[in-house]
Amino acid sequence: DERSTDEFERLEVRDIVRVLLEQTNLSFRERQVVNLFLQGDNFNEIARKLKVSRSFVGYTFQRAIKKLRQTADQLGIAP
């Protein structure tokens, strides 16, 4: 049924993200920002928690995403 398909797709995405996070050389801050984002925090909340500016969070997130995409390309994982 449709719920089973949706659940399977969520599990597949979770596994892909886990592999990418394990295989990508992220800085400590990049990893912090990505993990907080994955937990549901927005950039403003992340900035407040880490005591940094929102623009720093945005820049750090973009840098991390670029690295994650490079790893995905190297592993042959389609976005």
Side-chain angles (χ1 to χ4, degrees):
D1 74 358
E2 191 172 317
R3 281 189 303 190
S4 295
T5 301
D6 289 345
E7 180 64 23
F8 178 76
E9 288 175 358
R10 277 194 295 277
L11 290 172
E12 189 174 49
V13 168
R14 185 195 67 199
D15 290 344
I16 290 170
V17 170
R18 182 183 51 76
V19 167
L20 288 175
L21 287 171
E22 288 172 359
Q23 297 294 318
T24 304
N25 186 23
L26 297 177
S27 72
F28 177 76
R29 278 295 199 196
E30 290 166 344
R31 195 166 296 280
Q32 277 185 312
V33 168
V34 169
N35 283 330
L36 289 170
F37 181 80
L38 291 173
Q39 292 172 23
D41 290 344
N42 65 38
F43 284 6
N44 289 330
E45 293 166 331
I46 295 169
R48 184 178 44 73
K49 287 180 179 181
L50 299 181
K51 296 181 169 82
V52 297
S53 71
R54 187 199 180 286
S55 61
F56 176 83
V57 171
Y59 174 75
T60 303
F61 186 79
Q62 290 297 327
R63 202 172 57 228
I65 293 302
K66 181 178 178 182
K67 289 180 180 180
L68 291 165
R69 285 184 176 149
Q70 288 172 343
T71 300
D73 286 345
Q74 292 169 354
L75 296 175
I77 300 172

